[in-house]
C-alpha cells in the first residue's frame, strides 16, 4: 500500500468510502449486507487501508451504524474514521450538537479523526457561514476537546462558492474533499479548484475518482489508446494513476461495493505509478472525446444583453454537466438559484446570441436544459 504523510500520520493513499456498501441482491435501496461489509473491511485493513469515510446520510443513515459495528472489532488506533455534518439539508443547520452526539454513538467511537462540513454548495453557503447557527464555533470546540482531530469540508459547489467558504473559514480548514477525476478536470474545472486549495495550502481528498463508474470502462477506441501506452494496466486504474499525478492529492476515496472492486483497487495502490506527459496528453484526448461541451468562454457579452439578467455562462457550464450526466448535484446547484434566474426564465429572444463570439445557440440550450431538469435526477 502506498502511504501519504499528513501531519504526524501516515494515511493509506486509498480510502474506503462507505457510500456504496454491498447490499442484499445488489439493490441499492436494500439493507446493507453486514457480513460482506465486514469481510471487505477485514481485507482492507489486512492490506494496509487505514482510512474509512462515512456520512450521516449514507444508506439512509445506516452507513455510520454498520461501519461503527464493523470497525468496533478493531483497536481504535489501527484506523482513521471520517464522517460529516449533514448541512446539505438546511433543516439540520440548528442541530449541530444533537447530530454530532448522535454520530459518535452510531459510529461507536469517542472521537472522529476527520470531520467535514458536508457538501458546501450554492444553496448552503449562506447558512454554513452564518454565525447564528454556531456550526463552526461548536465544531472548533469539539476539536479543542479532542473529539475531532482534523476539521475539513467537502464541496460539490462551483469555484466561486468554494472561494467564499475559504475566505470565511480557510484558516481553520485542514483538508478539502472534492470531486476529482480526469473527466472533471475539465468538465467541472477541478483543475482550478485544486489550484485554489493550493493557494490556501490545503491538501486534497478525492471523491468520485472514477466518476461513479463512468471511467471504469471506456469506448473500444479509447481503451485501445490507453492499452497502447500500458498494455497491462486495467482501465479503472488509469483514473487512479491520473490522481497519483496530482501532487496536491493526499487521499483518494473509492466507494467500493464488492470484494472484487476492493482487491483491484488495493492492487493498483500497491505502487505509485503517475502518468507521463505523453500519457496525460492521451488522457485529455480521451476526456475530450467523451464530452460534447458548448465552448462558452465566459466573456459575458451575453449577460449585458439579456433582458432577464440571467447568468448565462454559469447556466451553460451547468448545462454541459447535465448533458453528460443528469445528476443530482447539478439539479441542486440550479435549485439554489432564484426562481427567476433559472434556465426556464429564458424567453428565447436570442439577444444574447447576437453578441456571442462563439455563435452559440443559447436559447435552444436553455430550452433543452429546462427539459432535462424536469426529468428525474440520477446520483
Amino acid at each position: 500500500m502506498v502511504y501519504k504523510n499528513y501531519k504526524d500520520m501516515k494515511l493509506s493513499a486509498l480510502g474506503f468510502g462507505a457510500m456504496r456498501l454491498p447490499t442484499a441482491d445488489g439493490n441499492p435501496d436494500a439493507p446493507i449486507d453486514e457480513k460482506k461489509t465486514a469481510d471487505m473491511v477485514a481485507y482492507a485493513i489486512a492490506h494496509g487501508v487505514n482510512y474509512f469515510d462515512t456520512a450521516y446520510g449514507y444508506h439512509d443513515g445506516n452507513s455510520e451504524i454498520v461501519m461503527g459495528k464493523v470497525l468496533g472489532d478493531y483497536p481504535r488506533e489501527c484506523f482513521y474514521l471520517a464522517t460529516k455534518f449533514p448541512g446539505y439539508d438546511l433543516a439540520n443547520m440548528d442541530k449541530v450538537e444533537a447530530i454530532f452526539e448522535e454520530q459518535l454513538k452510531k459510529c461507536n467511537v469517542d472521537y472522529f479523526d476527520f470531520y467535514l462540513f458536508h457538501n458546501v454548495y450554492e444553496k448552503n453557503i449562506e447558512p454554513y457561514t452564518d454565525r447564528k447557527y454556531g456550526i463552526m464555533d461548536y465544531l472548533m470546540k469539539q476539536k479543542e476537546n479532542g473529539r475531532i482531530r482534523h476539521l475539513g469540508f467537502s464541496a460539490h459547489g462551483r469555484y466561486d462558492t468554494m472561494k467564499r467558504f475559504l475566505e470565511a473559514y480557510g484558516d481553520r480548514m485542514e483538508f478539502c474533499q472534492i470531486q476529482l477525476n480526469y473527466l472533471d478536470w475539465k468538465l467541472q474545472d477541478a483543475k482550478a479548484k485544486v489550484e485554489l486549495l493550493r493557494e490556501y495550502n490545503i491538501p486534497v481528498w478525492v471523491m468520485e475518482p472514477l466518476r461513479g463508474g463512468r471511467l471504469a470502462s471506456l469506448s473500444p477506441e479509447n481503451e485501445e489508446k490507453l492499452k497502447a501506452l500500458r498494455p497491462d494496466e486495467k482501465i479503472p486504474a488509469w483514473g487512479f494513476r491520473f490522481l497519483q499525478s496530482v501532487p496536491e492529492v493526499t487521499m483518494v476515496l473509492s466507494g467500493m461495493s464488492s470484494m472484487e472492486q476492493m482487491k483491484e483497487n488495493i492492487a493498483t495502490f500497491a505502487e505509485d505509478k503517475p502518468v507521463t506527459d505523453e500519457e496525460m496528453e492521451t488522457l485529455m484526448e480521451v476526456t475530450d472525446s467523451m464530452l460534447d461541451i458548448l465552448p462558452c468562454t465566459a466573456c459575458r457579452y451575453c449577460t449585458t444583453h439579456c433582458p432577464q439578467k440571467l447568468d448565462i455562462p454559469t447556466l451553460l457550464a451547468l448545462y454541459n454537466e447535465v448533458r453528460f450526466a443528469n445528476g443530482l448535484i447539478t439539479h441542486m446547484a440550479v435549485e439554489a438559484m432564484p426562481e427567476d434566474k433559472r434556465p426556464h426564465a429564458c424567453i428565447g429572444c436570442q439577444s444574447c446570441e447576437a453578441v456571442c463570439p462563439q455563435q452559440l445557440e443559447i436559447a435552444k440550450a436553455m430550452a433543452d436544459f429546462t427539459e432535462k431538469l424536469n426529468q428525474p435526477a440520477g446520483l
Side-chain angles (χ1 to χ4, degrees), residues 226-245:
L226 298 181
K227 288 292 185 184
L229 296 170
R230 297 190 187 186
D232 297 328
E233 195 82 89
K234 294 185 177 180
I235 295 302
W238 279 96
F240 298 122
R241 299 304 183 206
F242 167 79
L243 295 169
Q244 289 178 339
S245 311

Side-chain angles (χ1 to χ4, degrees), residues 13 25 42 57 59 66 126 169 191 225 232 240 263 337 362 371:
D25 301 322
H59 285 278
V66 171
E126 294 290 349
Y169 294 147
K191 181 176 184 288
K225 288 179 183 178
D232 297 328
F240 298 122
K263 290 180 177 180
M337 297 177 170
I362 298 170
E371 184 178 339

Side-chain angles (χ1 to χ4, degrees), residues 22-76:
T23 57
D25 301 322
N27 180 352
D29 296 322
I32 297 168
D33 188 318
E34 294 189 25
K35 174 63 168 59
K36 288 182 179 178
T37 299
D39 290 344
M40 289 176 67
V41 168
Y43 187 90
I45 290 178
H47 290 81
V49 174
N50 61 15
Y51 190 99
F52 297 86
D53 170 271
T54 184
Y56 189 74
Y58 291 173
H59 285 278
D60 292 325
N62 292 307
S63 176
E64 288 180 328
I65 295 171
V66 171
M67 294 305 290
K69 285 182 184 177
V70 172
L71 289 171
D73 290 336
Y74 299 88
R76 184 64 181 87

Side-chain angles (χ1 to χ4, degrees), residues 106-163:
K106 288 170 68 178
C107 292
N108 192 30
V109 294
D110 297 321
Y111 65 91
F112 294 115
D113 301 281
F114 297 86
Y115 196 84
L116 299 83
F117 287 78
H118 198 171
N119 186 17
V120 174
Y121 79 112
E122 288 68 33
K123 196 167 187 175
N124 63 19
I125 181 66
E126 294 290 349
Y128 258 157
T129 53
D130 190 333
R131 293 203 64 179
K132 76 178 182 182
Y133 294 110
I135 299 171
M136 176 59 79
D137 292 340
Y138 179 79
L139 296 180
M140 287 300 294
K141 188 67 175 178
Q142 302 318 303
K143 191 175 177 210
E144 290 171 13
N145 294 338
R147 302 171 90 200
I148 293 173
R149 300 294 169 87
H150 302 286
L151 185 62
F153 71 107
S154 69
H156 281 288
R158 297 189 297 275
Y159 175 94
D160 290 345
T161 303
M162 282 182 57
K163 188 173 182 181

Side-chain angles (χ1 to χ4, degrees), residues 73-366:
D73 290 336
Y74 299 88
R76 184 64 181 87
E77 65 274 11
C78 86
F79 63 87
Y80 300 112
L81 181 62
T83 194
K84 313 170 186 76
F85 173 71
Y88 52 82
D89 183 348
L90 301 186
N92 292 329
M93 289 299 176
D94 59 353
K95 302 172 184 173
V96 60
E97 181 174 357
I99 288 174
F100 185 80
E101 296 295 339
E102 180 187 355
Q103 289 176 299
L104 287 172
K105 291 177 181 176
K106 288 170 68 178
C107 292
N108 192 30
V109 294
D110 297 321
Y111 65 91
F112 294 115
D113 301 281
F114 297 86
Y115 196 84
L116 299 83
F117 287 78
H118 198 171
N119 186 17
V120 174
Y121 79 112
E122 288 68 33
K123 196 167 187 175
N124 63 19
I125 181 66
E126 294 290 349
Y128 258 157
T129 53
D130 190 333
R131 293 203 64 179
K132 76 178 182 182
Y133 294 110
I135 299 171
M136 176 59 79
D137 292 340
Y138 179 79
L139 296 180
M140 287 300 294
K141 188 67 175 178
Q142 302 318 303
K143 191 175 177 210
E144 290 171 13
N145 294 338
R147 302 171 90 200
I148 293 173
R149 300 294 169 87
H150 302 286
L151 185 62
F153 71 107
S154 69
H156 281 288
R158 297 189 297 275
Y159 175 94
D160 290 345
T161 303
M162 282 182 57
K163 188 173 182 181
R164 283 182 62 193
F165 188 81
L166 288 167
E167 287 170 349
Y169 294 147
D171 59 332
R172 282 163 277 187
M173 293 295 99
E174 298 176 85
F175 65 104
C176 175
Q177 192 166 303
I178 62 172
Q179 184 167 310
L180 178 58
N181 50 68
Y182 61 79
L183 189 73
D184 285 315
W185 194 245
K186 291 188 175 184
L187 182 60
Q188 290 196 359
D189 202 10
K191 181 176 184 288
K193 294 177 182 178
V194 169
E195 291 169 352
L196 174 64
L197 293 169
R198 186 195 309 139
E199 291 176 19
Y200 282 83
N201 198 30
I202 294 175
V204 174
W205 265 229
V206 173
M207 53 185 164
E208 300 294 353
L210 299 180
R211 241 294 178 156
R214 294 294 292 269
L215 301 181
S217 62
L218 305 172
S219 69
E221 295 80 9
N222 284 331
E223 290 198 5
E224 186 176 341
K225 288 179 183 178
L226 298 181
K227 288 292 185 184
L229 296 170
R230 297 190 187 186
D232 297 328
E233 195 82 89
K234 294 185 177 180
I235 295 302
W238 279 96
F240 298 122
R241 299 304 183 206
F242 167 79
L243 295 169
Q244 289 178 339
S245 311
V246 181
E248 293 80 7
V249 170
T250 295
M251 169 61 55
V252 177
L253 295 168
S254 181
M256 296 168 276
S257 304
S258 69
M259 184 65 80
E260 180 184 9
Q261 292 173 354
M262 172 74 71
K263 290 180 177 180
E264 285 189 6
N265 290 349
I266 286 176
T268 297
F269 277 89
E271 53 187 337
D272 196 1
K273 292 174 62 177
V275 299
T276 65
D277 290 344
E278 177 190 3
E279 291 168 339
M280 182 66 80
E281 186 176 335
T282 302
L283 277 177
M284 292 301 101
E285 290 175 4
V286 168
T287 295
D288 289 340
S289 74
M290 297 174 69
L291 299 177
D292 181 21
I293 292 178
L294 290 184
C296 173
T297 60
C299 67
R300 305 195 73 82
Y301 294 154
C302 55
T303 60
T304 62
H305 286 70
C306 177
Q308 301 298 90
K309 304 300 180 186
L310 300 181
D311 185 352
I312 295 171
T314 294
L315 289 171
L316 288 178
L318 291 169
Y319 177 54
N320 282 329
E321 288 188 39
V322 86
R323 290 169 79 205
F324 177 78
N326 196 356
L328 179 61
I329 297 301
T330 309
H331 282 240
M332 291 170 66
V334 174
E335 288 169 5
M337 297 177 170
E339 185 75 26
D340 62 351
K341 300 304 178 187
R342 299 178 190 178
H344 66 71
C346 172
I347 59 176
C349 67
Q350 298 181 308
S351 296
C352 54
E353 296 178 15
V355 296
C356 176
Q358 310 304 318
Q359 299 182 337
L360 302 180
E361 294 181 310
I362 298 170
K364 182 179 178 181
M366 293 300 104

